[in-house]
Amino acid sequence: MCGIAAIYSQEQELPNDIEFMLNKISHRGENQPNSISLGNCWLGTARLKIVDRDKGIQPMLNENSTIGVIFNGEIYNYLALKERLIAKGHSFNTNCDTEIIAHLYEEYGINFLAMLDGMFAFVLYDSIKQNLLVARDYFGVKPLYYAKNNNSWFFASEMKALVDLEIETIEELQPGNYIFKNTIGHYYHLVDEPMESISFNEAKYEVRKLIEDAVCKRVQTDLPIGVLFGGGIDSTIVLLLALKFNPDVTALIIGNDDSPDYIYANRVCEDLNIPALRRTYSIEDVYALIPKIVDVTESYEPNVVSGSVLSFLLCQMAKEHGYKLLLCGEGSDEIFAGYGDFLFKSDDEIKKGILRLLADLHRTQLQRVDRTSMNFTIEVREPLLDRKLVDFALKLPPRFKIGKNSQGKSTTKLILREAFKDILPDYIYTREKQTLMDGAGIGKVDRECGLLYSYANSTISDDEYNSWIREYPEYNLATKEDVHYFRHFSSRYLKAKFAQIRPYHAQKEIAVNESN
């Protein structure tokens, strides 16, 4: 896990901004940033040491130093891929997942991208063929931005590394996309082909197996593991399975004494004798953090900013206790229809809603998780966004996700609840969705709700609101909360023109039954 930055130029003189760029994202790594020049390319990293901590130094080269790679993420099947490459005659100097990227490219060209099981963003340069390959993972768990200036390309994990360069526009490489020979292509698409022939019980057991496998591969480490734990069904499943496959797991809980998440999460930990760390906060803490959160997340989206406040405080606590590796339950609401939006909808509406949420997840919850954790040099893994699990879940009929639970109530994430009913406490099995902000006591995060929305209304005058709306019509600022966050965003990130297109959020995030 790292912060990465690269410069590629077709000019004779290669721009030398790499150290400047790396210093802007040095918080993503533990060590002093490191860079090399290879032909027409600068490659640099700020490394967080997780896999092969002693030898996995980046940038990493192939045997004859003609191919260089910088990599952010984790490849969970790298040992299997390494064995295949060794059988084909490749040799390795480390036991690090980064090193396999260069050899996979040598063996398979760009066709190896779909072979990777994990989360990743990387830049590879072949100095012999003068080929540049840049790629981002299937769902955009790890970020990657780029900009152009004449015949030069600039790449980085965060926009902070790009905003002060002599460029006009910052772009975001989309999930499942790559850049090769100056052309953007796709290697992965979200597909929801129906699988109507499968029974609910068959699907339930397969969901259980896929999630167990997803958690198991993400806890194969000698580092202590923390789980961001809100006492909901998703994080409870992740926590219990993590403990099944690794004994050194601790729950990380945030909230105040009377907040639902705090109550449920503590009850689970006390009932099951699970170690936990707890963090409380004041509403003044939340208000004071807003400018910092906008800068850290590089977003003015209310959904991202409001949720990031508590994620930031949780990760800060994790950092204070020495954690470098965390798990979370992100992705479940998107693939298993966990939001209130999905209740009492048609099958077609449910399927379209799931695809829309997944397509923009890299700019909503995944952006929140990446920025708030990497701000404290912490890696977060999302087992419920395992590619095999997502591909399977998208094929399931909507009636497997929205249906009647054992108490006869219409509920979200039905198949997920039933798949783990035997290990979930009853009070978790029946608990309806609450977002982090709502569950931790700050208030609802549905549109135009919650304490932060009210705070923005009291902070932004009508005249100021109207002035920002008129000056920046292309950003579609709709509320005073939008304006409150955008004021801070606009001071640094207006080169990110893609931010004018607002990502899709659930309109009714909390899954509260309106009827039986």
Side-chain angles (χ1 to χ4, degrees):
M1 185 65 67
C2 301
I4 61 175
I7 305 170
Y8 168 68
S9 181
Q10 294 171 307
E11 302 287 348
Q12 284 189 337
E13 186 173 346
L14 183 63
N16 191 10
D17 297 302
I18 194 70
E19 289 188 11
F20 175 83
M21 294 167 66
L22 288 171
N23 286 335
K24 295 292 186 178
I25 56 172
S26 60
H27 52 272
R28 296 181 72 96
E30 302 168 276
N31 299 334
Q32 184 72 21
N34 186 43
S35 63
I36 62 169
S37 61
L38 185 66
N40 290 347
C41 192
W42 276 105
L43 299 171
T45 59
R47 184 183 178 226
L48 168 56
K49 297 183 287 186
I50 300 290
V51 178
D52 197 353
R53 295 190 288 275
D54 293 331
K55 296 182 180 179
I57 299 170
Q58 295 191 43
M60 196 164 284
L61 303 171
N62 65 339
E63 301 100 324
N64 58 6
S65 300
T66 60
I67 297 174
V69 178
I70 51 174
F71 176 85
N72 174 28
E74 300 290 343
I75 304 299
Y76 303 116
N77 63 336
Y78 81 96
L79 290 176
L81 292 172
K82 183 177 179 180
E83 288 181 6
R84 184 188 303 186
L85 290 165
I86 290 173
K88 290 180 176 292
H90 294 263
S91 60
F92 292 81
N93 296 315
T94 75
N95 195 32
C96 186
D97 52 350
T98 302
E99 192 175 7
I100 70 166
I101 301 296
H103 297 280
L104 287 169
Y105 165 79
E106 287 179 305
E107 190 66 36
Y108 301 105
I110 66 171
N111 295 324
F112 77 87
L113 293 172
M115 299 165 62
L116 301 177
D117 176 12
M119 54 181 183
F120 54 87
F122 69 80
V123 178
L124 176 151
Y125 184 65
D126 180 342
S127 63
I128 301 298
K129 297 180 180 179
Q130 297 186 18
N131 284 341
L132 181 79
L133 173 61
V134 183
R136 190 176 184 189
D137 66 60
Y138 312 101
F139 312 114
V141 176
K142 302 318 299 176
L144 194 60
Y145 300 92
Y146 66 94
K148 297 179 185 178
N149 181 1
N150 298 321
N151 289 319
S152 297
W153 293 66
F154 302 83
F155 302 91
S157 296
E158 297 183 19
M159 292 192 288
K160 296 174 185 64
L162 302 173
V163 290
D164 295 321
L165 301 179
E166 293 183 4
I167 55 170
E168 294 184 1
T169 303
I170 297 172
E171 304 288 350
E172 182 179 26
L173 187 63
Q174 295 298 298
N177 279 14
Y178 64 86
I179 299 172
F180 186 61
K181 295 183 178 180
N182 298 331
T183 301
I184 297 176
H186 309 272
Y187 71 91
Y188 177 82
H189 300 271
L190 294 170
V191 178
D192 66 340
E193 296 174 353
M195 189 170 45
E196 297 287 347
S197 60
I198 193 171
S199 71
F200 184 85
N201 279 338
E202 290 172 327
K204 178 180 71 174
Y205 290 123
E206 184 64 16
V207 165
R208 172 75 169 251
K209 179 181 181 301
L210 287 170
I211 293 178
E212 287 194 345
D213 290 346
V215 174
C216 181
K217 72 177 83 167
R218 285 165 174 80
V219 297
Q220 301 307 307
T221 178
D222 60 346
L223 294 171
I225 297 170
V227 174
L228 302 175
F229 187 49
I233 182 173
D234 308 326
S235 61
T236 301
I237 290 170
V238 171
L239 175 61
L240 296 181
L241 292 181
L243 285 162
K244 177 180 178 180
F245 300 117
N246 190 316
D248 194 1
V249 176
T250 300
L252 307 181
I253 302 168
I254 192 166
N256 292 321
D257 291 344
D258 58 350
S259 60
D261 276 11
Y262 202 74
I263 292 170
Y264 276 101
N266 278 295
R267 183 177 176 185
V268 170
C269 292
E270 290 168 5
D271 288 352
L272 302 180
N273 195 30
I274 297 171
L277 295 172
R278 299 165 180 85
R279 172 89 186 243
T280 60
Y281 64 89
S282 71
I283 193 60
E284 289 75 22
D285 294 335
V286 173
Y287 294 156
L289 271 174
I290 293 303
K292 175 70 172 178
I293 294 299
V294 172
D295 188 50
V296 165
T297 61
E298 303 179 332
S299 175
Y300 65 95
E301 295 294 333
N303 182 290
V304 175
V305 175
S306 59
S308 292
V309 173
L310 296 182
S311 294
F312 182 93
L313 293 172
L314 265 177
C315 290
Q316 185 179 58
M317 178 179 71
K319 177 74 169 183
E320 291 166 354
H321 286 84
Y323 285 91
K324 296 167 61 173
L325 178 57
L326 306 178
L327 301 184
C328 72
E330 298 304 323
S332 173
D333 291 316
E334 286 73 21
I335 65 174
F336 291 118
Y339 294 115
D341 279 15
F342 295 110
L343 285 171
F344 319 112
K345 299 293 185 180
S346 69
D347 284 4
D348 189 56
E349 288 173 322
I350 292 171
K351 291 171 69 174
K352 287 181 179 178
I354 285 173
L355 290 177
R356 287 188 69 186
L357 286 168
L358 271 175
D360 277 356
L361 192 58
H362 66 289
R363 288 189 59 201
T364 57
Q365 306 312 324
L366 292 179
Q367 187 162 333
R368 168 181 62 82
V369 171
D370 175 81
R371 298 302 196 285
T372 55
S373 60
M374 291 303 290
N375 183 73
F376 296 103
T377 326
I378 294 173
E379 173 178 321
V380 177
R381 298 177 177 180
E382 294 90 351
L384 299 181
L385 281 174
D386 186 88
R387 185 180 60 158
K388 288 182 180 179
L389 173 65
V390 174
D391 287 347
F392 181 78
L394 289 180
K395 297 176 183 178
L396 295 176
R399 66 179 183 275
F400 287 5
K401 302 173 184 180
I402 303 292
K404 304 284 187 180
N405 64 15
S406 61
Q407 297 180 335
K409 292 184 178 180
S410 296
T411 190
T412 61
K413 297 186 283 196
L414 177 64
I415 194 167
L416 183 65
R417 298 175 191 273
E418 295 302 319
F420 291 95
K421 185 178 180 181
D422 62 314
I423 67 169
L424 292 172
D426 287 343
Y427 53 87
I428 299 298
Y429 165 78
T430 57
R431 188 185 178 195
E432 295 293 355
K433 175 177 175 56
Q434 287 187 283
T435 62
L436 175 61
M437 294 293 286
D438 187 52
I442 291 183
K444 291 183 178 180
V445 294
D446 292 355
R447 293 285 176 87
E448 302 184 14
C449 291
L451 291 178
L452 291 178
Y453 175 79
S454 299
Y455 178 69
N457 277 351
S458 67
T459 302
I460 305 295
S461 69
D462 290 345
D463 287 344
E464 188 176 9
Y465 169 72
N466 290 325
S467 175
W468 282 92
I469 295 294
R470 287 194 299 269
E471 187 171 356
Y472 295 98
E474 65 273 23
Y475 285 88
N476 299 303
L477 304 173
T479 68
K480 289 185 177 180
E481 189 176 12
D482 285 355
V483 169
H484 181 42
Y485 304 148
F486 185 77
R487 290 187 308 169
H488 303 294
F489 179 88
S490 64
S491 67
R492 290 195 72 180
Y493 300 116
L494 288 185
K495 289 182 179 179
K497 304 298 184 186
F498 67 86
Q500 295 172 5
I501 302 174
R502 307 291 294 272
Y504 180 70
H505 300 281
Q507 305 299 302
K508 183 178 179 182
E509 296 202 357
I510 311 302
V512 178
N513 280 289
E514 297 171 357
S515 70
N516 290 343

